[in-house]
Amino acid sequence: MTTEDSETAILTFLSASPETVIEDTYPWSQSSNLDHKTVVGAIKSLLADKYVVVENLETSFYSFTEEGQSILDNGSQEILVLKALNEAGKLSIPDLQAKVGKDVAKIGMGNCMKAKWIKKDGQDLVPVAKEDEVEDTVRKQLQGLRDADFKIDALSDQDAKDLKRRKCINLVTVKSHRVSRGSAYQPQRVKKAADLTKEMLDSGAWETAEFKPYNFLVLGEKVGGGFLHPLLKVRAEFRKILMEMGFQEMPTNKWVESSFWNFDSLFQPQSHPARDAHDTFFIKEPAQTVSVPEEYYERVKTMHEIGGAGSIGYRYDFRREEAMKNLLRTHTTAVSSQMLYKLANQPGGFKPARYFSIDRVFRNETMDATHLCEFHQVEGLVADYNLSLGDLIGTIETFFKKIGITQLRFKPAFNPYTEPSMEIFGYHPDLKKWTEIGNSGMFRPEMLQPMGLPENVRVIAWGLSLERPTMIKYRISNIRDLFGHKVEMARTQNAPICRFEDATASA
Ligand code: PHE
């Protein structure tokens, strides 16, 4: 029986006459073969639309426990014990227990002794009375209660107390309603429309339809839209932090770069092992880039071959063919160098700038639990006059503090394009050890001078992977659970939003 069936039953019942009332929904439901809870639900709904008015009722009555029902059916424990003893003449306690059951024997024996219906004879129990000579008071009380429809006043206070103590009855309280017609009563429910539909607009039904009022208190339905991958959530948070620090995003929407921008412009010699096909994915088709800025190309070539800006260069023959090779960028620094070149050559000349990027890079690596062939880099750079290593350390500290990493250490390192270079280590409070979290440095004059940047302009830069902080944040230990075809969709759908604790806020 549905709520609608109950609604119909209630409205039909009330249709008999304007004065008709349901005196009490509880017995009414029973006699109408309806579930009382469903009836109450239907009444609440009818009440909201003023089809009915209700008064609240509360009725208490007794009900039998399992034990009470059993006494009513078979007699009380004391009568069962007396019967058994009369049948056998006499019984030892274990024999009595075997005959009537342990529970019945225990309660029955006690009560028979108290009433002096039985006595002890050595180890045995013998009857003193016959069961038809005595009265089964408990059973009689229960019969009386049943015959009086379980009403409260069917039992004296003392009897009720005794029966409750013997766990024969319970007091039950039922909340129910007295129901009569409301101001908007109609014998049939007219459902209010919940939505304005195309059909209603087509037919004109919307003009007369009654609409449900808006309920602004209900929770909205879950939107089944897209979900941001954990990497994208962390990226969004990093982006926000970097923008707060005054950094502008670089356009990184190009995965294919020339070797020229990925390596040569960064003063990375053409014989450098990273430029091997074992480390880099070269593109077969088209294998060569179309163009590079020729004047700048010449200056880069000269820097590699014979040096400048106080450097002696690498002293080898710079090959155009090598520079023009297309590849999947191995780092986003390939984009940083293009931005710096633009910054140096923009109309009006160089102006100080802060740039960042967060995007994908590719390396021809052996894959394992922590390495894939593609990953994401976060990179930041500041170009300004007379920057020092102190500026780099300060900027890095501010950034990491904003993602909640306060303990940092710097270790001298080597990059072909930065001098000095520093690896960044952060203290991992879960692992309780220092872990490498990034790389950084000041771009070399050999890289900056060919671009045409003023001589006293310094560029400080740092980079880190997006995967490392994401795996720590979302407690993912295998990178294949984070990225690639084995990622569980549910993980992405259920990943909480990413917020980093900003340690600069409290410091
Ligand atoms: N490009 C470096 C890497 O791929 C990171 C880096 C960026 C280092 C900027 C120094 C300065 O690891």
Side-chain angles (χ1 to χ4, degrees):
M1 282 289 182
T2 62
T3 310
E4 261 116 80
D5 296 326
S6 295
E7 270 179 23
T8 312
I10 295 160
L11 295 176
T12 310
F13 187 86
L14 295 179
S15 70
S17 84
E19 287 75 37
T20 309
V21 290
I22 298 173
E23 284 295 345
D24 186 339
T25 50
Y26 190 73
W28 182 85
S29 303
Q30 283 179 327
S31 61
S32 315
N33 257 331
L34 293 168
D35 169 48
H36 188 240
K37 265 200 197 130
T38 316
V39 169
V40 170
I43 285 167
K44 288 210 170 120
S45 156
L46 289 169
L47 185 65
D49 285 344
K50 302 194 170 62
Y51 275 67
V52 296
V53 285
V54 303
E55 269 170 57
N56 295 331
L57 306 174
E58 213 177 83
T59 327
S60 295
F61 53 85
Y62 291 115
S63 75
F64 288 156
T65 62
E66 230 176 86
E67 186 153 336
Q69 187 61 47
S70 157
I71 291 177
L72 187 79
D73 296 341
N74 312 313
S76 66
Q77 294 92 332
E78 46 272 34
I79 294 296
L80 296 179
V81 166
L82 190 58
K83 227 190 238 172
L85 287 181
N86 273 306
E87 267 168 31
K90 63 176 180 180
L91 283 171
S92 67
I93 294 180
D95 286 346
L96 177 68
Q97 283 176 339
K99 209 164 172 189
V100 297
K102 257 194 176 164
D103 291 342
V104 172
K106 191 174 163 223
I107 299 169
M109 247 161 56
N111 288 338
C112 284
M113 287 295 223
K114 231 189 276 166
K116 299 201 167 53
W117 294 347
I118 62 170
K119 64 171 191 200
K120 276 206 151 176
D121 179 13
Q123 291 302 310
D124 290 333
L125 294 167
V126 292
V128 183
K130 289 222 156 42
E131 65 266 21
D132 42 17
E133 292 164 7
V134 299
E135 196 174 53
D136 192 346
T137 326
V138 180
R139 191 182 197 185
K140 256 192 135 170
Q141 285 168 340
L142 292 177
Q143 280 165 343
L145 183 59
R146 181 199 55 197
D147 295 343
D149 279 338
F150 298 90
K151 287 207 183 82
I152 291 259
D153 48 17
L155 289 176
S156 72
D157 286 355
Q158 189 55 50
D159 288 353
K161 225 168 138 190
D162 290 345
L163 289 174
K164 267 191 241 167
R165 194 172 39 81
R166 283 193 68 153
K167 296 197 172 68
C168 294
I169 57 169
N170 283 324
L171 185 67
V172 185
T173 302
V174 173
K175 292 193 171 159
S176 57
H177 305 284
R178 181 179 192 271
V179 187
S180 51
R181 287 189 185 185
S183 57
Y185 172 81
Q186 289 178 64
Q188 243 157 24
R189 185 100 194 243
V190 182
K191 276 263 169 216
K192 287 187 184 166
D195 285 309
L196 181 62
T197 62
K198 175 182 179 292
E199 286 69 31
M200 289 166 96
L201 291 172
D202 285 347
S203 69
W206 63 273
E207 284 189 84
T208 49
E210 262 198 77
F211 289 94
K212 266 195 181 167
Y214 280 109
N215 181 355
F216 294 106
L217 301 176
V218 288
L219 279 179
E221 265 190 37
K222 252 199 177 173
V223 181
F227 297 89
L228 278 190
H229 185 277
L231 279 173
L232 295 180
K233 288 186 176 163
V234 176
R235 181 173 79 165
E237 191 64 5
F238 278 6
R239 187 182 261 154
K240 199 191 85 195
I241 289 167
L242 286 157
M243 289 196 181
E244 271 171 16
M245 289 175 68
F247 285 76
Q248 254 177 290
E249 191 161 16
M250 296 186 264
T252 47
N253 53 351
K254 227 171 65 182
W255 290 350
V256 176
E257 285 291 354
S258 61
S259 297
F260 178 73
W261 284 115
N262 194 84
F263 294 125
D264 299 319
S265 72
L266 291 161
F267 197 54
Q268 190 149 333
Q270 295 190 325
S271 60
H272 194 281
R275 301 178 68 147
D276 198 290
H278 292 297
D279 293 312
T280 301
F281 290 114
F282 287 96
I283 304 290
K284 280 196 189 137
E285 180 73 53
Q288 301 276 311
T289 190
V290 184
S291 69
V292 290
E294 286 303 331
E295 270 178 66
Y296 172 53
Y297 171 88
E298 285 306 323
R299 293 197 296 270
V300 170
K301 177 176 176 330
T302 309
M303 188 59 82
H304 279 243
E305 287 184 335
I306 59 168
S311 167
I312 60 165
Y314 289 119
R315 316 214 149 195
Y316 68 102
D317 286 332
F318 188 86
R319 288 172 57 227
R320 188 174 177 91
E321 188 198 292
E322 196 58 44
M324 300 302 269
K325 276 185 185 169
N326 275 332
L327 46 73
L328 288 175
R329 67 176 176 222
T330 64
H331 53 187
T332 45
T333 317
V335 180
S336 300
S337 71
Q338 283 168 74
M339 288 304 285
L340 286 170
Y341 172 75
K342 266 199 197 141
L343 193 63
N345 296 283
Q346 68 190 352
F350 168 82
K351 275 189 208 70
R354 292 159 176 251
Y355 291 130
F356 80 93
S357 67
I358 309 173
D359 211 337
R360 195 173 299 188
V361 300
F362 306 84
R363 288 184 194 174
N364 197 353
E365 301 215 45
T366 315
M367 296 195 276
D368 61 29
T370 51
H371 293 89
L372 293 178
C373 290
E374 44 192 309
F375 64 101
H376 299 77
Q377 281 189 330
V378 183
E379 181 153 320
L381 65 88
V382 183
D384 205 343
Y385 297 97
N386 302 316
L387 291 174
S388 69
L389 194 64
D391 292 304
L392 177 57
I393 293 174
T395 309
I396 291 171
E397 274 179 353
T398 308
F399 172 75
F400 280 102
K401 262 190 192 167
K402 279 177 177 285
I403 61 171
I405 300 172
T406 48
Q407 285 175 280
L408 290 177
R409 277 184 182 169
F410 299 92
K411 180 180 157 190
F414 173 79
N415 294 310
Y417 39 90
T418 53
E419 186 61 36
S421 309
M422 303 182 299
E423 275 171 3
I424 310 163
F425 285 75
Y427 188 73
H428 195 305
D430 279 2
L431 300 177
K432 297 208 187 337
K433 64 175 188 183
W434 292 91
T435 49
E436 201 204 317
I437 47 175
N439 188 359
S440 67
M442 299 183 74
F443 285 135
R444 294 180 78 107
E446 290 100 322
M447 167 184 163
L448 300 182
Q449 218 210 26
M451 290 176 170
L453 284 164
E455 219 182 298
N456 53 345
V457 166
R458 305 277 176 272
V459 181
I460 55 178
W462 81 99
L464 61 142
S465 87
L466 184 61
E467 279 77 359
R468 175 77 60 92
T470 306
M471 287 169 75
I472 294 171
K473 187 83 191 160
Y474 288 95
R475 302 198 183 275
I476 297 170
S477 55
N478 191 328
I479 200 159
R480 296 181 184 102
D481 294 330
L482 175 71
F483 194 82
H485 64 285
K486 285 188 182 158
V487 172
E488 251 180 85
M489 286 303 282
R491 185 165 219 154
T492 298
Q493 291 177 359
N494 299 329
I497 56 166
C498 170
R499 285 282 176 276
F500 287 103
E501 204 167 304
D502 184 351
T504 59
S506 53

